[in-house]
Coordinates of all heavy atoms in Angstrom, one line a residue:
M1 N 67.9 -163.7 -52.4 CA 68.4 -162.7 -51.4 C 67.8 -162.9 -50.1 O 66.7 -163.5 -49.9 CB 68.4 -161.3 -51.8 CG 66.9 -160.7 -51.8 SD 66.8 -159.1 -52.7 CE 67.6 -158.0 -51.5
R2 N 68.3 -162.4 -49.1 CA 67.7 -162.5 -47.7 C 66.8 -161.2 -47.5 O 67.3 -160.1 -47.6 CB 68.9 -162.5 -46.6 CG 69.5 -163.9 -46.6 CD 70.7 -163.8 -45.8 NE 70.5 -163.5 -44.5 CZ 70.2 -164.3 -43.5 NH1 69.9 -165.5 -43.7 NH2 69.9 -163.8 -42.3
V3 N 65.7 -161.4 -47.0 CA 64.7 -160.4 -46.8 C 64.2 -160.4 -45.4 O 63.9 -161.5 -44.9 CB 63.5 -160.4 -47.8 CG1 62.5 -159.2 -47.5 CG2 64.1 -160.3 -49.2
A4 N 64.3 -159.3 -44.7 CA 63.7 -159.3 -43.3 C 62.2 -159.2 -43.4 O 61.6 -158.5 -44.2 CB 64.3 -158.1 -42.6
A5 N 61.6 -159.9 -42.4 CA 60.1 -159.7 -42.2 C 59.9 -159.4 -40.8 O 60.5 -159.9 -39.9 CB 59.5 -161.2 -42.5
I6 N 59.0 -158.5 -40.7 CA 58.7 -158.0 -39.2 C 57.6 -158.9 -38.7 O 56.6 -159.2 -39.3 CB 58.1 -156.6 -39.4 CG1 59.0 -155.6 -40.0 CG2 57.6 -156.1 -38.0 CD1 58.3 -154.5 -40.7
I7 N 57.9 -159.4 -37.5 CA 57.1 -160.4 -36.8 C 56.3 -159.7 -35.8 O 57.0 -159.0 -34.9 CB 57.9 -161.5 -36.2 CG1 58.8 -162.2 -37.3 CG2 57.0 -162.5 -35.6 CD1 58.0 -162.9 -38.4
E8 N 55.1 -159.9 -35.8 CA 54.1 -159.2 -34.7 C 53.1 -160.2 -34.2 O 52.6 -161.0 -35.0 CB 53.4 -158.0 -35.3 CG 54.4 -156.8 -35.6 CD 53.5 -155.8 -36.4 OE1 53.1 -156.1 -37.5 OE2 53.4 -154.7 -35.9
E9 N 52.9 -160.2 -33.0 CA 51.7 -161.1 -32.5 C 50.4 -160.3 -32.8 O 50.4 -159.1 -32.8 CB 51.9 -161.4 -31.0 CG 53.2 -162.1 -30.7 CD 53.2 -162.7 -29.3 OE1 52.2 -162.5 -28.5 OE2 54.1 -163.4 -28.9
C10 N 49.4 -161.1 -33.1 CA 48.1 -160.5 -33.5 C 47.0 -161.5 -33.1 O 47.3 -162.5 -32.6 CB 48.1 -160.2 -34.9 SG 48.2 -161.7 -36.0
E11 N 45.8 -161.0 -33.2 CA 44.7 -161.8 -32.9 C 44.0 -162.2 -34.3 O 43.8 -161.3 -35.1 CB 43.6 -161.0 -32.1 CG 43.7 -161.3 -30.7 CD 42.5 -160.7 -29.9 OE1 41.6 -160.1 -30.5 OE2 42.5 -160.9 -28.7
L12 N 43.8 -163.5 -34.5 CA 43.2 -164.0 -35.7 C 41.8 -164.5 -35.3 O 41.5 -164.8 -34.2 CB 44.0 -165.2 -36.2 CG 45.4 -164.7 -36.6 CD1 46.2 -166.0 -37.1 CD2 45.5 -163.7 -37.6
E13 N 40.9 -164.6 -36.3 CA 39.6 -165.1 -36.1 C 39.6 -166.5 -36.1 O 40.0 -167.3 -37.1 CB 38.7 -164.6 -37.3 CG 37.5 -163.8 -36.8 CD 36.8 -163.1 -37.9 OE1 36.1 -163.8 -38.6 OE2 37.0 -161.9 -38.0
G14 N 39.3 -167.1 -35.0 CA 39.2 -168.6 -34.9 C 37.7 -169.1 -35.3 O 37.0 -168.3 -35.9
D15 N 37.4 -170.3 -35.0 CA 36.2 -170.8 -35.3 C 35.1 -170.0 -34.6 O 34.0 -169.7 -35.2 CB 36.0 -172.4 -35.0 CG 36.9 -173.2 -36.0 OD1 37.0 -172.6 -37.1 OD2 37.2 -174.2 -35.6
H16 N 35.3 -169.8 -33.3 CA 34.2 -169.3 -32.5 C 34.6 -167.9 -31.8 O 33.9 -167.1 -31.4 CB 33.6 -170.2 -31.5 CG 33.2 -171.4 -32.1 ND1 31.9 -171.5 -32.8 CD2 33.6 -172.7 -32.1 CE1 31.8 -172.7 -33.2 NE2 32.8 -173.5 -32.8
R17 N 35.9 -167.8 -31.6 CA 36.4 -166.6 -30.9 C 37.9 -166.3 -31.5 O 38.5 -167.1 -32.2 CB 36.5 -166.9 -29.5 CG 37.3 -168.0 -29.1 CD 37.0 -168.6 -27.7 NE 37.5 -170.0 -27.7 CZ 38.8 -170.2 -27.3 NH1 39.6 -169.3 -27.1 NH2 39.2 -171.5 -27.3
P18 N 38.3 -165.1 -31.1 CA 39.6 -164.7 -31.6 C 40.7 -165.6 -30.9 O 40.6 -166.0 -29.8 CB 39.8 -163.3 -31.1 CG 38.5 -162.8 -30.7 CD 37.7 -164.1 -30.3
V19 N 41.7 -166.0 -31.7 CA 42.8 -166.8 -31.1 C 44.1 -166.0 -31.4 O 44.2 -165.2 -32.3 CB 42.9 -168.1 -31.7 CG1 41.6 -169.0 -31.3 CG2 43.0 -168.1 -33.2
E20 N 45.1 -166.4 -30.6 CA 46.4 -165.8 -30.7 C 47.1 -166.2 -32.1 O 47.1 -167.5 -32.4 CB 47.3 -166.1 -29.6 CG 46.9 -165.4 -28.3 CD 48.1 -165.2 -27.4 OE1 48.9 -166.0 -27.3 OE2 48.1 -164.0 -26.9
G21 N 47.8 -165.4 -32.7 CA 48.5 -165.8 -33.8 C 49.7 -164.8 -34.1 O 50.0 -163.9 -33.3
V22 N 50.4 -165.1 -35.1 CA 51.6 -164.1 -35.5 C 51.3 -163.6 -36.9 O 50.7 -164.3 -37.8 CB 52.9 -164.8 -35.4 CG1 53.3 -165.0 -34.0 CG2 53.0 -166.2 -36.1
M23 N 51.9 -162.6 -37.2 CA 51.8 -161.9 -38.5 C 53.2 -161.6 -39.0 O 54.0 -161.0 -38.2 CB 50.9 -160.6 -38.4 CG 50.6 -160.0 -39.7 SD 49.4 -158.7 -39.5 CE 50.4 -157.4 -39.0
A24 N 53.5 -161.9 -40.2 CA 54.8 -161.5 -40.7 C 54.6 -160.6 -41.9 O 53.8 -160.8 -42.8 CB 55.6 -162.8 -41.2
T25 N 55.4 -159.5 -41.9 CA 55.2 -158.5 -43.0 C 56.5 -158.4 -43.7 O 57.6 -158.1 -43.1 CB 54.8 -157.1 -42.4 OG1 53.6 -157.2 -41.6 CG2 54.5 -156.1 -43.5
C26 N 56.5 -158.6 -45.0 CA 57.6 -158.5 -45.9 C 58.1 -157.1 -45.8 O 57.5 -156.1 -46.1 CB 57.2 -158.9 -47.3 SG 58.6 -158.7 -48.5
R27 N 59.4 -156.9 -45.7 CA 60.1 -155.6 -45.7 C 60.2 -155.0 -47.1 O 60.2 -153.8 -47.1 CB 61.5 -155.8 -45.1 CG 61.7 -155.6 -43.6 CD 61.7 -154.2 -43.2 NE 62.2 -154.0 -41.8 CZ 62.0 -152.9 -41.2 NH1 61.3 -152.0 -41.7 NH2 62.5 -152.8 -39.9
R28 N 60.2 -155.8 -48.0 CA 60.4 -155.2 -49.4 C 59.1 -154.9 -50.1 O 59.0 -153.9 -50.7 CB 61.0 -156.4 -50.3 CG 62.5 -156.2 -50.2 CD 63.1 -157.5 -50.8 NE 62.9 -157.7 -52.2 CZ 63.6 -157.0 -53.2 NH1 64.5 -156.1 -52.8 NH2 63.4 -157.2 -54.4
C29 N 57.9 -155.7 -49.8 CA 56.7 -155.4 -50.6 C 55.5 -155.1 -49.6 O 54.4 -154.9 -50.1 CB 56.4 -156.3 -51.6 SG 56.1 -158.0 -50.8
D30 N 55.7 -155.3 -48.3 CA 54.7 -155.1 -47.4 C 53.6 -156.1 -47.4 O 52.5 -156.0 -46.8 CB 54.0 -153.7 -47.5 CG 54.6 -152.6 -46.7 OD1 55.5 -153.0 -45.9 OD2 54.2 -151.4 -46.8
H31 N 53.8 -157.2 -48.1 CA 52.9 -158.3 -48.1 C 52.9 -159.0 -46.7 O 54.0 -159.1 -46.1 CB 53.2 -159.4 -49.2 CG 52.2 -160.5 -49.2 ND1 51.0 -160.3 -49.6 CD2 52.4 -161.8 -49.0 CE1 50.3 -161.5 -49.6 NE2 51.2 -162.5 -49.2
A32 N 51.8 -159.3 -46.2 CA 51.7 -160.0 -44.8 C 51.1 -161.3 -44.9 O 50.1 -161.5 -45.7 CB 51.0 -159.1 -43.9
T33 N 51.5 -162.2 -44.0 CA 50.9 -163.6 -43.9 C 50.6 -163.7 -42.4 O 51.3 -163.1 -41.5 CB 51.9 -164.6 -44.3 OG1 53.1 -164.6 -43.6 CG2 52.1 -164.6 -45.9
E34 N 49.8 -164.6 -42.0 CA 49.3 -164.8 -40.7 C 49.3 -166.3 -40.5 O 49.0 -167.1 -41.3 CB 47.9 -164.3 -40.4 CG 47.8 -162.8 -40.6 CD 46.4 -162.3 -40.6 OE1 45.5 -163.1 -41.0 OE2 46.2 -161.1 -40.3
A35 N 49.6 -166.7 -39.1 CA 49.5 -168.1 -38.8 C 49.0 -168.2 -37.4 O 49.3 -167.3 -36.6 CB 50.9 -168.8 -38.9
F36 N 48.3 -169.3 -37.1 CA 47.7 -169.5 -35.7 C 48.9 -169.8 -34.8 O 49.9 -170.6 -35.1 CB 46.7 -170.5 -35.6 CG 45.4 -170.1 -36.4 CD1 45.1 -170.7 -37.6 CD2 44.7 -169.1 -35.8 CE1 43.9 -170.3 -38.2 CE2 43.4 -168.7 -36.5 CZ 43.1 -169.4 -37.6
G37 N 48.9 -169.4 -33.6 CA 49.8 -169.7 -32.6 C 51.0 -168.7 -32.6 O 51.1 -167.9 -33.5
T38 N 51.7 -168.7 -31.5 CA 52.8 -167.8 -31.4 C 54.2 -168.4 -31.2 O 55.2 -167.8 -30.8 CB 52.5 -166.8 -30.2 OG1 52.4 -167.6 -29.0 CG2 51.3 -166.0 -30.5
S39 N 54.3 -169.7 -31.5 CA 55.5 -170.5 -31.3 C 56.4 -170.2 -32.4 O 56.0 -169.7 -33.4 CB 55.2 -172.0 -31.2 OG 54.7 -172.4 -32.5
P40 N 57.7 -170.6 -32.3 CA 58.6 -170.4 -33.3 C 58.2 -171.2 -34.5 O 58.4 -170.7 -35.7 CB 59.9 -171.0 -32.8 CG 59.8 -170.9 -31.3 CD 58.3 -171.0 -31.0
A41 N 57.5 -172.2 -34.4 CA 57.0 -173.0 -35.6 C 55.9 -172.1 -36.3 O 55.9 -172.2 -37.6 CB 56.3 -174.3 -35.1
S42 N 55.2 -171.4 -35.6 CA 54.2 -170.5 -36.3 C 54.9 -169.4 -37.0 O 54.5 -169.1 -38.2 CB 53.2 -169.9 -35.3 OG 52.6 -170.9 -34.5
V43 N 55.9 -168.8 -36.4 CA 56.7 -167.8 -37.2 C 57.2 -168.4 -38.5 O 57.3 -167.8 -39.5 CB 57.8 -167.3 -36.2 CG1 58.7 -166.3 -37.0 CG2 57.2 -166.6 -35.0
R44 N 57.8 -169.6 -38.3 CA 58.4 -170.2 -39.5 C 57.4 -170.4 -40.6 O 57.6 -170.3 -41.9 CB 59.1 -171.6 -39.2 CG 60.6 -171.4 -39.2 CD 61.3 -172.8 -39.0 NE 60.7 -173.7 -38.1 CZ 61.1 -173.8 -36.8 NH1 62.1 -173.0 -36.4 NH2 60.5 -174.6 -36.0
R45 N 56.2 -170.8 -40.3 CA 55.1 -171.0 -41.1 C 54.7 -169.7 -41.9 O 54.7 -169.7 -43.1 CB 53.9 -171.5 -40.4 CG 53.0 -172.5 -41.3 CD 52.2 -173.5 -40.5 NE 51.5 -172.9 -39.3 CZ 51.6 -173.4 -38.2 NH1 52.3 -174.5 -37.9 NH2 51.0 -172.9 -37.2
C46 N 54.8 -168.6 -41.1 CA 54.6 -167.3 -41.8 C 55.6 -167.0 -42.9 O 55.4 -166.5 -43.9 CB 54.5 -166.2 -40.7 SG 53.0 -165.9 -39.9
L47 N 56.9 -167.3 -42.4 CA 58.0 -166.9 -43.3 C 58.0 -167.8 -44.6 O 58.2 -167.3 -45.7 CB 59.3 -167.2 -42.6 CG 59.5 -166.2 -41.4 CD1 60.8 -166.6 -40.6 CD2 59.5 -164.8 -41.8
V48 N 57.5 -169.1 -44.4 CA 57.3 -170.0 -45.7 C 56.3 -169.4 -46.5 O 56.5 -169.4 -47.8 CB 57.1 -171.4 -45.2 CG1 56.7 -172.3 -46.4 CG2 58.3 -172.0 -44.5
M49 N 55.1 -168.9 -45.9 CA 54.1 -168.4 -46.7 C 54.5 -167.1 -47.4 O 54.0 -166.9 -48.6 CB 52.8 -168.1 -45.9 CG 52.1 -169.5 -45.6 SD 50.5 -169.1 -44.7 CE 51.0 -168.8 -43.0
L50 N 55.3 -166.3 -46.8 CA 55.8 -165.1 -47.4 C 56.6 -165.4 -48.7 O 56.4 -164.8 -49.8 CB 56.7 -164.3 -46.5 CG 56.1 -163.3 -45.6 CD1 57.2 -162.5 -45.0 CD2 55.2 -162.3 -46.4
R51 N 57.3 -166.4 -48.6 CA 58.1 -166.9 -49.7 C 57.3 -167.4 -50.9 O 57.5 -167.1 -52.0 CB 59.1 -168.0 -49.3 CG 60.0 -168.5 -50.3 CD 60.8 -169.6 -49.7 NE 61.3 -170.5 -50.7 CZ 62.5 -170.6 -51.2 NH1 63.4 -169.7 -50.8 NH2 62.9 -171.3 -52.2
E52 N 56.2 -168.1 -50.5 CA 55.4 -168.6 -51.5 C 54.4 -167.6 -52.1 O 54.0 -167.7 -53.4 CB 54.6 -169.8 -51.0 CG 55.4 -171.0 -50.7 CD 54.6 -172.1 -49.9 OE1 53.5 -171.9 -49.4 OE2 55.1 -173.2 -49.8
E53 N 54.1 -166.7 -51.3 CA 53.0 -165.8 -51.7 C 53.6 -164.3 -52.2 O 52.7 -163.6 -52.8 CB 52.0 -165.4 -50.6 CG 51.2 -166.7 -50.2 CD 50.3 -166.4 -49.0 OE1 50.2 -165.1 -48.6 OE2 49.7 -167.3 -48.4
C54 N 54.8 -164.1 -52.0 CA 55.3 -162.8 -52.3 C 54.8 -162.3 -53.7 O 55.1 -163.0 -54.7 CB 56.8 -162.8 -52.4 SG 57.6 -161.2 -52.6
P55 N 54.2 -161.2 -53.7 CA 53.6 -160.7 -55.0 C 54.7 -160.3 -56.0 O 54.3 -160.1 -57.2 CB 52.8 -159.5 -54.5 CG 52.8 -159.4 -53.1 CD 53.9 -160.4 -52.6
M56 N 55.9 -160.1 -55.6 CA 56.9 -159.8 -56.5 C 57.5 -161.0 -57.2 O 58.4 -160.9 -58.0 CB 58.1 -159.1 -55.7 CG 57.6 -157.7 -55.1 SD 58.8 -157.0 -54.1 CE 60.1 -156.5 -55.2
G57 N 57.0 -162.2 -56.8 CA 57.3 -163.4 -57.5 C 58.8 -163.8 -57.3 O 59.4 -164.5 -58.1
E58 N 59.4 -163.4 -56.2 CA 60.8 -163.6 -55.9 C 60.9 -164.9 -54.9 O 60.0 -165.0 -54.1 CB 61.5 -162.4 -55.3 CG 61.4 -161.3 -56.2 CD 62.0 -160.0 -55.6 OE1 62.3 -160.0 -54.4 OE2 62.3 -159.0 -56.3
Q59 N 61.9 -165.5 -55.1 CA 62.2 -166.7 -54.2 C 63.2 -166.2 -53.1 O 64.3 -166.5 -53.2 CB 62.7 -167.9 -55.0 CG 61.7 -168.5 -55.9 CD 60.7 -169.4 -55.2 OE1 61.0 -170.4 -54.7 NE2 59.4 -168.9 -55.1
N60 N 62.8 -165.5 -52.2 CA 63.7 -164.9 -51.3 C 63.7 -165.8 -50.0 O 62.8 -166.7 -49.8 CB 63.3 -163.6 -50.9 CG 63.3 -162.6 -52.0 OD1 64.3 -162.5 -52.7 ND2 62.2 -161.7 -52.2
Y61 N 64.7 -165.6 -49.3 CA 64.8 -166.3 -48.0 C 64.4 -165.3 -47.0 O 65.2 -164.2 -46.8 CB 66.3 -166.8 -47.8 CG 66.4 -167.3 -46.4 CD1 65.9 -168.6 -46.0 CD2 67.1 -166.6 -45.4 CE1 66.0 -169.0 -44.7 CE2 67.2 -167.1 -44.2 CZ 66.6 -168.3 -43.8 OH 66.8 -168.7 -42.6
Y62 N 63.4 -165.6 -46.3 CA 62.9 -164.6 -45.3 C 63.4 -165.0 -43.9 O 63.4 -166.1 -43.5 CB 61.4 -164.5 -45.3 CG 60.9 -163.9 -46.5 CD1 60.5 -164.7 -47.7 CD2 60.7 -162.6 -46.6 CE1 60.0 -164.1 -48.8 CE2 60.2 -162.0 -47.7 CZ 59.9 -162.7 -48.8 OH 59.4 -162.2 -50.0
F63 N 63.7 -164.0 -43.1 CA 64.1 -164.2 -41.7 C 63.4 -163.3 -40.9 O 63.0 -162.2 -41.3 CB 65.7 -164.2 -41.5 CG 66.2 -162.7 -41.8 CD1 66.5 -161.9 -40.8 CD2 66.6 -162.4 -43.1 CE1 67.0 -160.6 -41.0 CE2 67.1 -161.2 -43.3 CZ 67.3 -160.3 -42.4
A64 N 63.1 -163.7 -39.6 CA 62.3 -162.9 -38.7 C 63.1 -161.8 -38.1 O 64.2 -161.9 -37.7 CB 61.9 -163.8 -37.5
E65 N 62.5 -160.6 -38.1 CA 63.1 -159.4 -37.5 C 62.2 -159.1 -36.3 O 61.1 -158.7 -36.5 CB 63.1 -158.3 -38.6 CG 63.6 -157.0 -38.0 CD 63.7 -155.9 -39.0 OE1 64.6 -155.9 -39.9 OE2 62.7 -155.0 -39.0
T66 N 62.7 -159.3 -35.1 CA 61.8 -159.1 -34.0 C 62.3 -158.0 -33.1 O 61.6 -157.6 -32.2 CB 61.9 -160.4 -33.0 OG1 63.3 -160.7 -32.7 CG2 61.4 -161.6 -33.8
G67 N 63.5 -157.5 -33.4 CA 64.0 -156.4 -32.6 C 64.8 -157.0 -31.5 O 65.6 -156.2 -30.8
E68 N 64.6 -158.2 -31.2 CA 65.3 -158.9 -30.2 C 66.3 -159.8 -30.7 O 66.2 -160.1 -31.9 CB 64.4 -159.7 -29.3 CG 63.4 -158.9 -28.4 CD 62.2 -159.8 -28.0 OE1 62.5 -160.9 -27.4 OE2 61.1 -159.4 -28.2
D69 N 67.3 -160.0 -29.9 CA 68.5 -160.8 -30.4 C 68.1 -162.4 -30.1 O 68.7 -163.0 -29.3 CB 69.7 -160.4 -29.7 CG 70.9 -160.6 -30.7 OD1 70.7 -160.7 -31.9 OD2 72.0 -160.9 -30.2
E70 N 67.2 -162.9 -30.9 CA 66.9 -164.3 -30.7 C 66.9 -165.1 -31.9 O 66.6 -164.6 -33.0 CB 65.5 -164.5 -30.0 CG 64.4 -163.9 -30.8 CD 63.1 -164.2 -30.1 OE1 63.0 -165.1 -29.3 OE2 62.2 -163.4 -30.3
D71 N 67.2 -166.3 -31.9 CA 67.2 -167.2 -33.0 C 65.9 -167.9 -33.2 O 65.5 -168.6 -32.3 CB 68.3 -168.3 -32.9 CG 69.5 -167.9 -33.6 OD1 69.9 -166.7 -33.6 OD2 70.3 -168.8 -34.1
V72 N 65.3 -167.7 -34.3 CA 63.9 -168.3 -34.5 C 64.0 -169.3 -35.6 O 64.6 -168.9 -36.6 CB 62.8 -167.3 -34.8 CG1 61.5 -168.0 -35.0 CG2 62.7 -166.3 -33.8
Ligands
ZN1 ZN1 57.8 -159.5 -50.6

């Protein structure tokens, strides 16, 4: 099934200082993944990780919910 994930920009811990990243939160189970960078590729990485890590063990198709009308 298709599951929405909330996409938010966040700060992640880098090697020496905080770096920009994105966080995706599963709408169904609240599981969250993080990736470095804020590009569409980073968002996709988050969504792939959600699919792999979902604690519910489901093989869902995750899509980004940004509140904006944009294709990621
Ligand atoms: Zn989930």
Side-chain angles (χ1 to χ4, degrees):
M1 72 188 284
R2 286 166 60 84
V3 178
I6 303 152
I7 304 298
E8 291 167 300
E9 295 194 1
C10 62
E11 264 190 0
L12 300 176
E13 241 171 73
D15 285 337
H16 303 289
R17 60 200 163 82
V19 293
E20 290 211 315
V22 287
M23 187 171 85
T25 308
C26 175
R27 272 280 198 196
R28 270 165 68 78
C29 65
D30 268 355
H31 183 67
T33 58
E34 297 168 336
F36 291 110
T38 57
S39 66
S42 301
V43 172
R44 256 194 312 271
R45 209 150 48 228
C46 273
L47 297 175
V48 168
M49 281 190 283
L50 268 189
R51 183 184 154 99
E52 289 171 349
E53 295 179 8
C54 182
M56 294 172 71
E58 297 176 350
Q59 294 279 295
N60 294 315
Y61 173 75
Y62 290 95
F63 63 97
E65 180 181 278
T66 57
E68 292 161 50
D69 209 26
E70 62 177 333
D71 266 35
V72 181

